Amino acid sequence: MNNSAANTGRVLWAGLRALLVLTVVCGVLYPLAVTGIAQVAFPGKANGSEIKSEGKVVGSALIGQTYNLPLKEGEETPTPDLKWFQPRPSNGLGTNSVNTQYSIILSGATNRSGDNEDLITWVKDAKAAVVKDNSTADHKVKPSDVPADAVTSSGSGLDPHISPEYAKLQVHRIAEKNHLTVAQVDKLVADHTDGRILGFVGEPRVNVLQLNIALKQLVATRG
């Protein structure tokens, strides 16, 4: 009995020591080493790809945002603030959609098929809204001008980018709302259009938050 108790004690003590060593190595030293390397090698990505404006963090380069007017009393659906470039719709387009406000915890697809009646209605309504919102006194948008990303969400519903075509579609509205020339806004879009990764991966894209920060700076400079 004494030998059995001693053996049991040695096994338990060995297990406890192993637990303590592994806790320190895996729970403290390894995370600290990885964090330190990340902060030295690529601090921007390690800290969430933060985007700053006027010295303050205003978002992430990886997550989209909405640009809406403040909700009025009794309103449930926000109204887009048309002085800013607008992103693609967040997951879904209607009031029954999964995520209309780029809420990170609701990332995911609506899983509606291409022939779903609700989805078809949402896309048609969204296209009509894009045409109406982006038409100005001297520039009329045609339904055929509206790219797919202007009326559909991405797979995650959090895409921070829009296509150059959708950005250019908004140029006349942005120029009119902010009292800028079309040429100024065109250049802004061109300067913030990223090409394909490594020249062949993916599609050209525009980060909406970065574009709107540049727009804000341009308007301030003009003022």
Side-chain angles (χ1 to χ4, degrees), residues 136-210:
T136 63
D138 58 356
H139 178 77
K140 300 301 178 184
V141 175
K142 296 179 293 185
S144 59
D145 296 332
V146 180
D149 64 305
V151 294
T152 57
S153 64
S154 63
S156 69
L158 302 176
D159 194 346
H161 299 101
I162 57 176
S163 65
E165 291 76 20
Y166 186 27
K168 292 174 183 176
L169 181 72
Q170 303 182 58
V171 163
H172 285 80
R173 165 180 50 86
I174 294 294
E176 181 180 79
K177 295 290 184 181
N178 292 282
H179 308 290
L180 300 168
T181 67
V182 171
Q184 285 177 303
V185 184
D186 258 330
K187 184 177 185 304
L188 206 63
V189 171
D191 290 345
H192 289 81
T193 298
D194 297 320
R196 292 179 173 86
I197 300 172
L198 300 177
F200 67 94
V201 179
E203 296 294 331
R205 61 209 180 281
V206 180
N207 187 289
V208 182
L209 177 55
Q210 292 175 334

Side-chain angles (χ1 to χ4, degrees), residues 94-113:
T95 56
N96 296 319
S97 56
V98 176
N99 179 11
T100 59
Q101 295 298 310
Y102 284 92
S103 177
I104 299 174
I105 62 173
L106 294 177
S107 173
T110 61
N111 292 328
R112 286 181 166 82
S113 64

Side-chain angles (χ1 to χ4, degrees), residues 4-212:
S4 177
N7 288 335
T8 300
R10 283 196 296 270
V11 170
L12 291 174
W13 175 234
L16 179 60
R17 283 183 294 174
L19 174 63
L20 292 174
V21 169
L22 290 174
T23 297
V24 172
V25 172
C26 299
V28 179
L29 298 181
Y30 177 74
L32 286 176
V34 171
T35 300
I37 293 171
Q39 290 295 331
V40 172
F42 33 85
K45 292 182 179 180
N47 292 323
S49 300
E50 296 173 339
I51 295 179
K52 294 184 178 181
S53 177
E54 298 177 352
K56 297 180 180 179
V57 176
V58 294
S60 168
L62 306 177
I63 301 172
Q65 296 186 20
T66 54
Y67 303 88
N68 297 322
L69 294 169
L71 280 174
K72 297 180 181 178
E73 187 176 352
E75 282 187 337
E76 295 184 0
T77 304
T79 301
D81 189 344
L82 297 180
K83 72 178 182 181
W84 301 110
F85 283 95
Q86 293 296 311
R88 64 187 303 170
S90 187
N91 247 333
L93 304 166
T95 56
N96 296 319
S97 56
V98 176
N99 179 11
T100 59
Q101 295 298 310
Y102 284 92
S103 177
I104 299 174
I105 62 173
L106 294 177
S107 173
T110 61
N111 292 328
R112 286 181 166 82
S113 64
D115 59 355
N116 179 272
E117 292 184 2
D118 287 338
L119 180 62
I120 292 171
T121 298
W122 295 345
V123 169
K124 287 181 177 178
D125 290 346
K127 179 174 283 192
V130 169
V131 169
K132 177 178 179 293
D133 289 344
N134 290 283
S135 293
T136 63
D138 58 356
H139 178 77
K140 300 301 178 184
V141 175
K142 296 179 293 185
S144 59
D145 296 332
V146 180
D149 64 305
V151 294
T152 57
S153 64
S154 63
S156 69
L158 302 176
D159 194 346
H161 299 101
I162 57 176
S163 65
E165 291 76 20
Y166 186 27
K168 292 174 183 176
L169 181 72
Q170 303 182 58
V171 163
H172 285 80
R173 165 180 50 86
I174 294 294
E176 181 180 79
K177 295 290 184 181
N178 292 282
H179 308 290
L180 300 168
T181 67
V182 171
Q184 285 177 303
V185 184
D186 258 330
K187 184 177 185 304
L188 206 63
V189 171
D191 290 345
H192 289 81
T193 298
D194 297 320
R196 292 179 173 86
I197 300 172
L198 300 177
F200 67 94
V201 179
E203 296 294 331
R205 61 209 180 281
V206 180
N207 187 289
V208 182
L209 177 55
Q210 292 175 334
L211 181 60
N212 276 331

